[in-house]
Amino acid sequence: MIYIVGKGIVGNALTNLLRKHHDNYDIYAIGKEEFDNLPTRLRKGDIIINAATTEINEVLLKLCLSKKCHYIDIGSDLSDGTCEQWRYCALFKENRLRGVFNAGLAPGFTNLLAKKAFDEGIKDIKLRYLEKVGPKPVFLWSPYIAAADKESQPIRWRNGRIEVYDKKPFSFSFPSGERCLVYPFLHDEVASIGPSLQPRLVEVAIGGALECKEVFKEEMWGKDIKEMKFLACVENFDEYLMIDYEELIKRGIKENVIAFGTAFFVATLLEYFDTISSLIPPELLPEDVQMKLLESAKRIGWIIK
C-alpha cells in the first residue's frame, strides 16, 4: 500500500499518475482530516509519500521507523539550514528501510542534473531556475513554502560548510535565450548536494515570476493559465531541464508544470525503489537509477542539450 499524504496540487497529481501507471500498488490519499488515523492504517512494508508540507517530514520519518514502512518526500524543512532527513539515514539503514528525500522536480530532477554536471568536472554548482506564468500572477508551487523561502536568508554550500549570504539579485541569461534578474534563494539542493557530493560551491537563484509572490491570492491559483514554464540549468553545463505547459497540454496533461514534474519523478522512482537500501537524496541513488530517471525526462523532451 502507498499512502500519499496531502491532497493539494502535488498530492492530486501524484495520486492520479500512480493510479494510472502503477496498478501493482494500492494507492490511498490522506488529507488533513484523516492524518491522525494514519498510524492505525499502516502495515509493515507500506510506503508513505509526503506530498504535503515539509514541516511533517520528521513526524512521518519517525512513524516509518516505528511501523517499519518505507518513505519518500519532495523537499526539506530547512529550519536550521540543513536537510533534517540526514539525521534518519543511519536508522533507516539499520532497520532495512528504503527512502528517498527531496524526490521531485526541484529538488529532485535538479539534483540529478547537478550530479551529472559535477561528474563531468563542474565543481561550482550554480543552479539557476526560471519560473514563468501568465497572464495572471499565480504560484507554480506552495504559496506558504514560497512565502517562507522568500523571507528567509539564502544559504549556499562553500568550501565544506553551509553559509548565509547576500540576497542581492543579478542578471542571468538562460539557455532558452531569456535574460532576467535572478534572486539568491533558500533551497533544498544546497543542503543535500553540498554534504553528499562535497563540491566547492552549491547555490540556487530563481528568476521569472517572482513578483507574483507579492500579490498572490489563493483563489487565483491555477486559474486562466495561458503560459507556464519551469527551466533549470547549471551554469557552464550544456544540458538543462525545461517543462513547458504547452507541451503537457499536447500530451493531454493539464497539471501545473511543477506539480506534474514532481509527480513524474516520484512515479518513475517507484519503478526502481527496491534497489535502495537506506534513506538517501536523489544524487546518491544508484548510478543506473539516476541514468534511467534522466532518460525518462529526455524521452518526453524535458532534458535539452
Side-chain angles (χ1 to χ4, degrees):
M1 173 73 81
I2 294 179
Y3 289 95
I4 299 171
V5 179
K7 291 184 176 180
I9 57 171
V10 174
N12 287 338
L14 181 54
T15 300
N16 294 338
L17 195 59
L18 292 188
R19 285 177 175 165
K20 187 175 182 180
H21 296 289
H22 282 276
D23 54 9
N24 53 319
Y25 288 110
D26 291 322
I27 312 295
Y28 192 88
I30 299 286
K32 288 181 181 179
E33 68 284 355
E34 301 158 295
F35 185 75
D36 290 343
N37 294 325
L38 178 59
T40 63
R41 289 178 170 273
L42 292 172
R43 299 293 181 268
K44 183 178 179 181
D46 286 345
I47 301 171
I48 296 177
I49 302 175
N50 183 13
T53 174
T54 58
E55 293 174 356
I56 62 171
N57 281 346
E58 292 197 76
V59 172
L60 295 177
L61 285 161
K62 291 173 182 176
L63 185 58
C64 284
L65 287 167
S66 68
K67 296 291 185 177
K68 306 301 181 188
C69 296
H70 309 294
Y71 177 79
I72 296 172
D73 68 38
I74 59 175
S76 299
D77 190 44
L78 299 176
S79 57
D80 63 355
T82 64
C83 292
E84 64 280 2
Q85 299 95 327
W86 284 120
R87 298 193 283 270
Y88 297 84
C89 295
L91 289 171
F92 264 64
K93 191 175 183 70
E94 289 171 14
N95 285 274
R96 298 183 179 180
L97 296 176
R98 303 189 297 275
V100 180
F101 63 92
N102 291 352
L105 176 60
F109 275 122
T110 52
N111 295 60
L112 301 185
L113 190 68
K115 171 63 160 52
K116 189 170 185 184
F118 181 77
D119 288 345
E120 294 188 19
I122 295 177
K123 305 307 178 186
D124 292 340
I125 307 296
K126 298 178 180 179
L127 286 157
R128 308 297 184 228
Y129 302 157
L130 177 68
E131 297 176 9
K132 293 194 72 176
V133 63
K136 294 181 179 179
V138 296
F139 270 97
L140 294 185
W141 40 294
S142 167
Y144 312 107
I145 294 174
D149 285 354
K150 189 173 187 299
E151 295 304 316
S152 298
Q153 188 72 24
I155 61 170
R156 64 185 173 194
W157 173 272
R158 190 166 70 167
N159 299 325
R161 65 185 182 90
I162 295 287
E163 64 179 22
V164 298
Y165 70 116
D166 194 354
K167 291 183 179 181
K168 185 178 179 181
F170 56 94
S171 182
F172 181 74
S173 293
F174 286 89
S176 58
E178 293 158 292
R179 185 176 185 87
C180 67
L181 285 179
V182 293
Y183 297 75
F185 236 70
L186 175 71
H187 226 260
D188 316 65
E189 293 90 339
V190 171
S192 65
I193 293 170
S196 62
L197 301 185
Q198 295 285 324
R200 282 194 305 248
L201 176 72
V202 189
E203 63 180 34
V204 175
I206 304 175
L210 291 181
E211 66 277 5
C212 73
K213 295 170 174 54
E214 304 290 348
V215 298
F216 172 77
K217 294 180 180 178
E218 188 161 354
E219 63 268 20
M220 295 165 57
W221 199 1
K223 305 290 178 60
D224 300 321
I225 295 293
K226 293 197 170 41
E227 177 187 18
M228 195 182 339
K229 179 167 68 177
F230 175 79
L231 187 154
C233 66
V234 178
E235 274 195 33
N236 303 315
F237 186 56
D238 61 357
E239 291 187 27
Y240 64 97
L241 171 70
M242 186 170 72
I243 306 179
D244 193 307
Y245 188 55
E246 283 190 18
E247 294 303 315
L248 292 186
I249 290 291
K250 289 176 184 177
R251 295 173 178 269
I253 299 163
K254 297 181 180 179
E255 305 277 6
N256 170 309
V257 293
I258 289 183
F260 185 78
T262 297
F264 184 80
F265 186 97
V266 175
T268 309
L269 171 67
L270 283 169
E271 296 177 19
Y272 313 104
F273 198 54
D274 60 359
T275 67
I276 301 162
S277 59
S278 61
L279 177 65
I280 53 175
E283 66 272 15
L284 292 184
L285 286 165
E287 292 289 339
D288 63 325
V289 174
Q290 292 188 46
M291 181 182 68
K292 288 171 181 174
L293 283 161
L294 288 173
E295 285 176 351
S296 73
K298 285 181 181 178
R299 281 196 300 271
I300 57 177
W302 291 358
I303 299 289
I304 300 170
K305 187 170 183 177

